[in-house]
Amino acid sequence: MALALLAAGDRPLARQPSPTKPLAPRTASYDIDVTLDPSTRTITGTEIITWTNTGGAIPAYSLRLHTYWNAFRSNRSTWMKQRRLSGDTPFDDRPAEDFGYITIGELQLLPPEGKPEGLPPQDLKPGFHYIQPYDQNPDDKSLAVIALHDPVPPGQSIRLRLTWTARIPRNFDRTGTIGNYFFIAQWFPKLGVFEGSGWTAAQFFANTEFFSDFGRYDVRMTVPAGWKVGATGVEQSQTDAGNGQTTHRYVQDDVHDFAWTTSPDYVEHTERFEQPGLPPVDMRLLLQPEHDSQADRHFAATAAALRFYGEWYGPYPYGHITIVDPAWQSDAGGMEYPTLFTGGTRWLAPRQSNDPESVVIHEAGHQFWYGMVANDEVSFAWMDEGFNTFSESRVQSVAFQPNYYAKRFFGGFIPWQIRDIRLQRATDTNRMNSYRADGDGDAPANPAYLFYPASHSVITYNKTALWMHTLERKLGWETLQKIMSTYFARWKFKHPRPEDFFAVVNEVTGQDYTWFFDAVYRSSNTFDYAVERFETVPIKTRGFADTPEGPRFEEKTVDGMYRTTVIARRVGTAQFPVDVLVTFANGEQVREQWDGLARWQDFSFDKPSKAVKVQIDPERVLLLDTNYTNNSRTLEEGITEKAATKWSLRWMIWVQDLLMDYAFFV
């Protein structure tokens, strides 16, 4: 199915003109010239930023400027401290040449366009200094303030001119270099977002990603001649810059970031995505030579994301996308940027093992939630990462089945595919095991940058995917799809907040789902419903009966009647309505609805048949239930033995595969 999404044959990428009507408010636009020196791992740049105060009714008396690469300046930065808190300490032993930085040179406010020539720029460098508003760490220089001589009124625009130099780090946090592979991300001085309450601009945290405004990017990158360049946007020209260098110009409208890569080793492929009802997209793939045989898989996964996200939520509007296969040990894999993303694969990657398809679908899917909806990921990372994990998992279940578990050995180099174990959407691709281990680590409503590092992925990605899938099972896909497409259409290019999504849920369903978001978003509580007691016995009547001789105590068995008792227990602290289903030996089933609020609830049934099985949440609507094994009990003979045999055989096959693998290499 996925391969059918591709049009046959390679074709060159088109030079695409700017749209006549902007897709987004072009609040912050960048005109950048940058030169790469691979021998010294440095870049020098000049940029002009055109910024408009769209923050509502308040003037801007200062600016906020991100200088992200200063997070790699020393091991005392806030980013480094967060990594250390998570137990990741290899940076403490890295040599000095692995670290990077960015240094601002000139900083000027240019005269407004149309003013008389010769009007001198204002020097803003004296009002430039680094700030640490989130943790007061004096060693962190990833965020700066620029004082303005005059405030910028609402609706007015200014132009800044900056010069800067930077040393490229050695593969820190999905940016940097290794060998002659360069992936350049979060690399230029970039403004924060000015909203109705002022500036939203955070230091660089290891737990979170980024937030910025939409605009137009016109970027010229000068690199060694013969090196391939991939970047946000579409290449407009290549110019001989002399001294064995070439300048590549890329332009892109209506995006909020720009990333690029260059290397002499890339193998380039192109394909065109075409699907009825959706705009065509030119796909460009830059592969490492050792992965060249996997080109079709990268294209198929990208096409699947473009198709299903497009059909479910809304079309991808840019007309082009670049897929980058990162170099081995570059730490640049699995990251999204406007119209460009990095995948991640291995030299040995068995088909139907979810690798590289899962990461490619995920990162291509980010073009929708991260790229177009573009919420504040420093505070509300789940609105991108969680929605995208849910969507990626659903695409896999539609376009790439079956997928089998693959165990890797020798540092991940050798895969062993176990075809007896199929990956399941509800558990495996929704990452249930990780959630189960730390589902109460943080409340998702807390700002993401405050999450305990070990809990970040669990809460942001896994929990959100699970509660989204729970909503799908409770409401039905048709309703949830309408919720997501309505939210996407209404809030793309507008920086929504959580309450905007919740409002769409209530609007589309016609119900108030505050109770649900109180449980899954505003709380760190976890769910666990269990069968505490289950029995079925013949019905007996006991008591005093009136006789001619006087009251006499009697005990009688009611022929053919049985009383079944079920006690359901809410073991977890979170609450969710669940069904209780009892199956009887004659095939009859009785379903009771329980609001799930109390700590326990009893159910009693008088029937002319024994009960054989009870299930809480039989359709498994509540995918957040952390222990589904206690949700059912059976009184039917043989069922327990069948289950034990089934799982014993699975484990025996698994152990056999491991022993065979061990014997082969030993």
Side-chain angles (χ1 to χ4, degrees), residues 122-405:
Q122 295 180 14
D123 183 10
L124 299 181
K125 194 64 181 292
F128 172 92
H129 63 277
Y130 293 106
I131 57 174
Q132 303 82 24
Y134 288 78
D135 64 354
Q136 291 74 53
N137 174 13
D139 294 312
D140 189 79
K141 301 182 185 301
S142 62
L143 179 66
V145 63
I146 304 171
L148 297 173
H149 297 177
D150 301 296
V152 182
Q156 297 299 305
S157 300
I158 59 172
R159 292 190 304 148
L160 299 175
R161 180 182 179 275
L162 302 86
T163 63
W164 46 273
T165 60
R167 179 172 174 80
I168 303 169
R170 281 291 299 272
N171 53 293
F172 277 83
D173 198 43
R174 295 176 289 195
T175 188
T177 179
I178 186 169
N180 55 12
Y181 166 86
F182 290 81
F183 195 87
I184 312 300
Q186 308 306 329
W187 56 286
F188 60 95
K190 183 168 61 171
L191 291 178
V193 177
F194 193 68
E195 300 180 295
S197 58
W199 284 99
T200 299
Q203 300 160 237
F204 194 0
F205 293 101
N207 277 359
T208 62
E209 292 177 0
F210 312 100
F211 184 41
S212 51
D213 270 320
F214 289 93
R216 174 181 172 86
Y217 285 80
D218 190 331
V219 183
R220 280 80 59 197
M221 296 149 286
T222 300
V223 302
W227 287 33
K228 287 187 173 65
V229 170
T232 294
V234 176
E235 187 173 62
Q236 306 296 309
S237 63
Q238 293 184 19
T239 306
D240 183 0
N243 299 318
Q245 296 179 309
T246 301
T247 299
H248 301 253
R249 181 187 176 213
Y250 278 72
V251 175
Q252 181 62 58
D253 291 305
D254 304 316
V255 293
H256 54 81
D257 200 2
F258 189 101
W260 59 286
T261 181
T262 186
S263 172
D265 300 327
Y266 282 131
V267 178
E268 181 176 358
H269 298 269
T270 59
E271 282 282 3
R272 186 173 175 86
F273 166 78
E274 293 180 333
Q275 178 69 25
L278 294 174
V281 180
D282 291 317
M283 300 184 293
R284 183 188 185 205
L285 173 62
L286 299 176
L287 271 174
Q288 299 300 318
E290 65 270 22
H291 300 152
D292 196 37
S293 63
Q294 299 179 32
D296 65 320
R297 299 174 66 181
H298 283 75
F299 282 129
T302 304
L306 292 173
R307 174 188 173 178
F308 291 108
Y309 281 60
E311 291 177 344
W312 296 340
Y313 310 134
Y316 177 77
Y318 297 111
H320 51 273
I321 195 167
T322 299
I323 310 132
V324 177
D325 177 30
W328 185 57
Q329 292 187 328
S330 66
D331 196 31
M335 189 59 188
E336 68 279 2
Y337 309 92
T339 77
L340 175 146
F341 66 88
T342 59
T345 189
R346 320 281 185 102
W347 180 54
L348 296 176
R351 291 183 182 270
Q352 295 183 302
S353 287
N354 213 31
D355 179 12
E357 285 78 8
S358 62
V359 67
V360 172
I361 294 169
H362 187 91
E363 303 310 330
H366 271 304
Q367 300 300 319
F368 293 78
W369 303 119
Y370 151 84
M372 284 183 272
V373 178
N375 65 281
D376 175 5
E377 290 203 62
V378 179
S379 295
F380 315 117
W382 64 272
M383 297 179 71
D384 168 43
E385 298 292 358
F387 287 175
N388 197 42
T389 301
F390 163 80
S391 304
E392 168 217 327
S393 177
R394 200 171 201 284
V395 170
Q396 290 184 61
S397 72
V398 173
F400 295 95
Q401 288 299 318
N403 270 322
Y404 302 102
Y405 177 78

Side-chain angles (χ1 to χ4, degrees), residues 342-579:
T342 59
T345 189
R346 320 281 185 102
W347 180 54
L348 296 176
R351 291 183 182 270
Q352 295 183 302
S353 287
N354 213 31
D355 179 12
E357 285 78 8
S358 62
V359 67
V360 172
I361 294 169
H362 187 91
E363 303 310 330
H366 271 304
Q367 300 300 319
F368 293 78
W369 303 119
Y370 151 84
M372 284 183 272
V373 178
N375 65 281
D376 175 5
E377 290 203 62
V378 179
S379 295
F380 315 117
W382 64 272
M383 297 179 71
D384 168 43
E385 298 292 358
F387 287 175
N388 197 42
T389 301
F390 163 80
S391 304
E392 168 217 327
S393 177
R394 200 171 201 284
V395 170
Q396 290 184 61
S397 72
V398 173
F400 295 95
Q401 288 299 318
N403 270 322
Y404 302 102
Y405 177 78
K407 177 70 175 176
R408 288 189 170 270
F409 301 92
F410 302 100
F413 183 68
I414 302 295
W416 190 271
Q417 190 180 61
I418 304 173
R419 299 182 73 85
D420 298 285
I421 303 178
R422 289 193 178 194
L423 299 181
Q424 304 295 321
R425 177 190 174 200
T427 52
D428 299 302
T429 56
N430 278 344
R431 313 180 189 186
M432 179 63 190
N433 284 340
S434 297
Y435 167 73
R436 184 184 289 117
D438 194 23
D440 59 354
D442 267 301
N446 293 335
Y449 65 86
L450 291 178
F451 285 172
Y452 184 66
S455 302
H456 164 65
S457 178
V458 171
I459 303 303
T460 300
Y461 295 72
N462 311 353
K463 184 174 184 178
T464 308
L466 287 163
W467 67 248
M468 286 287 293
H469 198 170
T470 295
L471 266 185
E472 179 184 336
R473 292 192 169 190
K474 182 171 178 59
L475 301 174
W477 168 240
E478 183 178 350
T479 299
L480 183 62
Q481 185 270 331
K482 185 177 180 181
I483 289 170
M484 300 303 286
S485 60
T486 301
Y487 168 72
F488 181 82
R490 184 173 300 170
W491 288 102
K492 61 185 178 181
F493 307 114
K494 294 180 182 177
H495 304 320
R497 299 174 69 86
E499 51 268 25
D500 300 315
F501 175 73
F502 303 151
V504 173
V505 173
N506 293 343
E507 173 189 328
V508 172
T509 62
Q511 301 178 46
D512 186 354
Y513 268 80
T514 301
W515 65 269
F516 179 75
F517 295 113
D518 282 346
V520 302
Y521 173 67
R522 300 181 183 93
S523 168
S524 62
N525 294 338
T526 55
F527 299 83
D528 183 13
Y529 285 92
V531 177
E532 182 164 295
R533 180 181 167 193
F534 177 42
E535 63 182 17
T536 184
V537 297
I539 294 178
K540 295 181 179 181
T541 62
R542 305 181 72 200
F544 284 95
D546 292 326
T547 69
E549 294 80 18
R552 185 175 66 185
F553 191 81
E554 293 182 347
E555 179 177 310
K556 293 182 180 180
T557 299
V558 180
D559 292 340
M561 294 297 292
Y562 298 87
R563 175 161 296 152
T564 297
T565 302
V566 175
I567 296 180
R569 168 72 67 177
R570 178 168 61 85
V571 181
T573 48
Q575 301 167 329
F576 189 86
V578 292
D579 286 357

